[in-house]
Amino acid sequence: MPSRAAAHTKGRASVLAALTATVLTVTGTPAFAAPDDGHPMDRAFALAAARFDVPRDLLAAVGYGETRLDGHSGRPSQAGGFGVMHLVSNPTNRTLERAAALIGKPLAELRTDTGANIMGGAAVLRGYADKLGLSARDRDDIDAWYPAVARYGGAQGPAAALYADTVYTFLASGLDTVVPGGERISVTSRPVAPHKGALAASDVRTQSPDYPSALWVPADPNNFAAGRSAKINKVVVHVTQGSYAGSISWFQNPAAEVSAHYVVRSSDGEITQTVRNSDTAYHAKSANSSSLGIEHEGFIDDPSWFTDTMYRSSAALTKSLCDRYGIPKDRAHIIGHSEAPGNDHTDPGPYWDWNRYMKLIGGAAGGGEGADRLSFASYATQQSGSTGAQVEAVQQLLNDQGYSAGAVDGSFGPATKTAVTAYQAARGLNADGVVGARTWTALLSAGATPSLQQGASGDGVKRLQRALTAALGSAVGVDGSFGPATVTAVRNYQTSRGLTADGLVGPGTWTALQTGR
């Protein structure tokens, strides 16, 4: 899950000193130290706008484009950005440090205090305006701020224009949003005609070479590898932990060492390709060489980013990629970043609607046409409160084995927990009602115990492959064909469980699997 991005020229002497003096000496106290009137963020925008002569609506639109005005409790974005204004601290972009110097506040405060963060964002924008030579009269014209907004994004060229265009789209359409804490923030819609200057030639108009509906803004060569070392056989779904334009910009930063093949925008489903399909993007560690990565604008803890337009646009892209490369439209081959072997990421997170996404791709909840709804690249722990396709798999398996989990609705409620606990007790497992690796292994392997070896095929092999995936914690392709990869997985399982490692699946191996060993 990658992220972060995005003329007049007259020199302004000692911008930092002048702006620091502005905020600290006009009143003798920090400009944002004001009583809470029930509208703290709105007041912070008004104070920062007045102090640095930045249009209030412009400031709010920049923050909305960056974070939806959610500071995420001081946690950084993938690019090292903090707060609602996404003040950045990474090797090539240090707006956080610049803002701290301009308003005379410690870095820690700008990371966690919304008022200080907004004041810092205004200070940085005003600094860019001064360097561009904007006069007081220019600063009253919201259209004149376009080059300063483009610089705020931290990018150059097409990515900078893409960033600023997004902000001006919000200004044109207006905003009316409720931020964390319940406060309503609004921006009035207006006609816009930004003064793009040299950036007019940087408008993103190049079409993607692999997906005609997408734009093309290439990542830095340091952030991907030319060519492929394996056949493309899966699509990996990511969430950026940042903004659309910011993520594209981050992929252009040679210090990032991350990228994805595509990025999808939340508001309108616009797609930009940054790495060719034939090249290896750095997005999912061990899965890089065999996968295509799609980033989705947003944060995993805020479902408001996952719009219907985004789902539909992304699903159309994924369907096209699956058709082009012969990738099965199921959850064994269309996976989340968290499901890629060897990864420690959690995206796309609990709010990504896999059922909806898979239906848009292939017409069947949880998978493509004919999907069995039980096959996944990895099996995550499921417990009370869990939702999604893997909960449906648990419920289906329990019901099939005579333990009533209620409706197969993807919601892990009391009935499902009761059924899981009863099942665990019957199998000699820890009866805690939580479906971890051992319970998954037992559930997935349950049934007949045919002798299997290389060359075998059928549903028994599929059950074996699913159970091995859960037991080993690494993907075993579920294709119903007992080939060399399955032989290796069987041997690995047998060795780790103290069984005879002959690659043959007989009573001893089945018993171990069905008791969750």
Side-chain angles (χ1 to χ4, degrees), residues 392-456:
E392 286 189 2
V394 170
Q395 293 167 329
Q396 179 180 324
L397 289 163
L398 287 166
N399 286 339
D400 288 349
Q401 295 172 49
Y403 294 83
S404 180
V408 180
D409 59 3
S411 179
F412 200 123
T416 302
K417 182 174 181 179
T418 297
V420 169
T421 303
Y423 180 84
Q424 291 169 324
R427 294 298 185 280
L429 300 166
N430 180 28
D432 57 4
V434 175
V435 182
R438 294 191 63 192
T439 302
W440 268 122
T441 302
L443 281 167
L444 292 162
S445 61
T449 58
S451 295
L452 301 174
Q453 58 185 331
Q454 188 165 354

Side-chain angles (χ1 to χ4, degrees), residues 67 70-78 80-87 96 107-114 117 241 299 301:
T67 65
D70 184 345
H72 298 283
S73 303
R75 298 187 300 275
S77 73
Q78 179 162 286
F82 296 87
V84 299
M85 297 303 294
H86 196 260
L87 295 171
L96 178 69
L107 296 175
E109 189 167 339
L110 270 75
R111 292 189 191 105
T112 58
D113 183 88
T114 295
N117 189 270
Q241 293 297 94
F299 291 80
D301 59 356

Side-chain angles (χ1 to χ4, degrees), residues 13 62-63 225 244 298 419 442 482-483:
V62 169
Y244 172 71
F482 200 130

Side-chain angles (χ1 to χ4, degrees), residues 41-87:
M41 186 180 294
D42 203 38
R43 181 176 177 81
F45 278 125
L47 287 170
R51 198 64 64 198
F52 287 103
D53 196 18
V54 178
R56 180 268 181 198
D57 282 3
L58 181 78
L59 196 59
V62 169
Y64 184 82
E66 290 281 11
T67 65
R68 295 293 192 270
L69 305 180
D70 184 345
H72 298 283
S73 303
R75 298 187 300 275
S77 73
Q78 179 162 286
F82 296 87
V84 299
M85 297 303 294
H86 196 260
L87 295 171

